[in-house]
Amino acid sequence: SLAPENLETVIEGQPEAEPSTCLVVGIGTGFNAAVAVPTPGGRVVPPAECGHVSMPIRTEDMLRLGKFVEREHGFASVEDVLSGRGLEHIQAWINSETDATADRTAPEIVEACAAGDPAARRAVETFVTLMGTVVGDLALVQLPFGGVYLVGGVSRAMQPYLSQFGFAAAFRDKGRFTEFMDQFPVFVVDDDFAALTGLAMYLHADD
């Protein structure tokens, strides 16, 4: 039910014909993901709390970031690094390892990144890499051959940087399953009313 002009393609992929499983990943004030599974009785969306699992550790940088977040907040979850406050946590970690001292809000970090600020660009690049890794992990778990849909204010704010900072490479970086990941198209949903539209369609289907 989404208008084509409200979908920004991040990864082309090779989507299966409908009906097929889709994955919606919401990144905004928090983080969560919902898999939509087609069944004879309609789409089923099981509950989940994906934002509260452990953040992935793939590099020495990510290990140091995880330890920083755990030290400051008690536990390094996905939501602690992939959300509005997550971007702020990443910037605070970068500040702790450099001479930078300015505390910034998430919108200020994105604005500074656009202006070419090195610390802000590193924060956004780290965020995008983590975003690709986590969304790729979720895609392997759920096998969304109908596509992955990124929603939420932070997803939209990151959209201009996904290609520049290697989202697709991080999404596909799954060892011998790297080529397998090409089957999942990824989109950013640029529509504030997408959730309401979905609810309306769901209710209409029950009429």
Side-chain angles (χ1 to χ4, degrees), residues 35-149:
V35 59
V37 183
T39 73
R43 287 191 184 273
V44 173
V45 182
E49 285 290 355
C50 301
H52 300 291
V53 302
S54 301
M55 67 165 279
I57 305 294
R58 292 287 307 275
T59 66
E60 288 294 328
D61 280 352
M62 294 304 100
L63 178 60
R64 296 199 309 277
L65 171 60
K67 288 182 175 179
F68 173 85
V69 172
E70 184 173 355
R71 186 167 60 249
E72 296 293 320
H73 305 284
F75 176 70
S77 72
V78 165
E79 188 168 283
D80 285 324
V81 292
L82 288 180
S83 61
R85 72 176 186 276
L87 182 57
E88 294 166 8
H89 293 164
I90 292 171
Q91 181 72 87
W93 164 66
I94 291 170
N95 290 351
S96 75
E97 295 196 339
T98 65
D99 295 331
T101 57
D103 291 329
R104 291 169 170 156
T105 64
E108 289 171 343
I109 295 167
V110 174
E111 183 178 352
C113 177
D117 178 84
R121 286 179 64 82
R122 183 182 172 194
V124 171
E125 183 174 7
T126 301
F127 189 100
V128 168
T129 299
L130 279 164
M131 188 175 168
T133 298
V134 170
V135 175
D137 285 349
L138 290 170
L140 268 181
V141 170
Q142 303 294 352
L143 302 180
F145 293 108
V148 179
Y149 298 83

Side-chain angles (χ1 to χ4, degrees), residues 9-15 172 182-187:
T9 301
V10 180
I11 298 175
E12 292 287 347
Q14 301 170 12
R172 294 184 175 118
D182 288 338
Q183 298 176 88
F184 308 125
V186 180
F187 309 94

